[in-house]
Amino acid sequence: MFEQDVDLLHGYVERFRAYQKKYYPHITEENDNGEWEISADCWDEMNTAYLNIVETYGAESLTEGLLDDMLYVIARDNECSHLLVKTLDYPDWFEVLCRHSINADYYNAKWQFAEQLGNYEGKREIKELLFYFIESGEEYVERMALKSLLAFKSLRRMPVSLIV
């Protein structure tokens, strides 16, 4: 069943990539404004397949191909970050995808993880990942990471002079 769900997601990702290449070849990772859901081929199906994997399987089942597809889908959902906000409900998935996003080529996934990391309530300590985002060299990713840094309760108790 897992392999079928992974194949289903991959098929939707490939179909969406072909759609984007055909109708919007000028859109790149850097200038993707995230308004795909308005008219995109298989948008809802791709997002549903992503959520099905997150809601049904454990993060330990992640494979390299699945990782790339999941980060791609998150990156496309950059208008409202709906998928990533939902992924926060599954801290193991959020943590593993967040770690992998740091070195991925999906700019739009990076800034979303940097922005949402302050809302992470899982058991693993992943606050240190903020510093990777802060030092990414990508201005918007860095800004979102700094914003997230303020969300951590331990920093809220610190005097402002120690944070800056």
Side-chain angles (χ1 to χ4, degrees):
M1 191 71 173
F2 174 71
E3 291 82 16
Q4 290 173 341
D5 289 337
V6 170
D7 289 344
L8 184 66
L9 175 63
H10 184 69
Y12 286 130
V13 166
E14 288 303 308
R15 187 171 150 191
F16 188 84
R17 286 181 195 258
Y19 167 84
Q20 185 231 330
K21 186 176 182 179
K22 181 177 180 179
Y23 294 104
Y24 302 96
H26 63 284
I27 294 180
T28 66
E29 188 66 25
E30 288 76 28
N31 69 3
D32 178 353
N33 65 6
E35 296 184 14
W36 294 107
E37 66 276 8
I38 293 170
S39 64
D41 184 38
C42 76
W43 175 260
D44 291 333
E45 296 90 343
M46 184 173 68
N47 289 326
T48 299
Y50 168 91
L51 287 173
N52 180 55
I53 288 172
V54 169
E55 294 169 351
T56 307
Y57 305 102
E60 68 279 354
S61 36
L62 186 66
T63 62
E64 193 66 33
L66 177 57
L67 169 66
D68 187 65
D69 286 345
M70 293 179 87
L71 289 176
Y72 177 82
V73 175
I74 290 169
R76 299 295 63 80
D77 183 40
N78 64 48
E79 176 70 13
C80 61
S81 300
H82 169 76
L83 293 175
L84 199 54
V85 170
K86 287 269 204 189
T87 305
L88 278 166
D89 294 337
Y90 303 88
D92 290 343
W93 275 111
F94 183 88
E95 185 260 334
V96 72
L97 291 168
C98 183
R99 285 189 188 283
H100 283 80
S101 75
I102 291 169
N103 295 315
D105 292 330
Y106 297 118
Y107 168 79
N108 289 308
K110 285 181 192 179
W111 72 254
Q112 289 180 76
F113 277 106
E115 180 182 43
Q116 294 300 324
L117 197 51
N119 298 319
Y120 173 79
E121 295 181 357
K123 295 176 184 167
R124 294 193 176 142
E125 279 297 318
I126 63 171
K127 294 175 192 174
E128 79 279 357
L129 296 180
L130 276 173
F131 297 101
Y132 290 102
F133 290 118
I134 289 169
E135 297 173 356
S136 71
E138 298 166 309
E139 180 187 1
Y140 196 66
V141 173
E142 292 171 354
R143 287 174 42 207
M144 293 300 101
L146 288 169
K147 178 181 156 190
S148 241
L149 188 63
L150 295 175
F152 285 108
K153 291 181 174 111
S154 61
L155 292 178
R156 288 184 183 158
R157 295 183 191 134
M158 286 184 174
V160 173
S161 61
L162 294 178
I163 296 172
V164 182

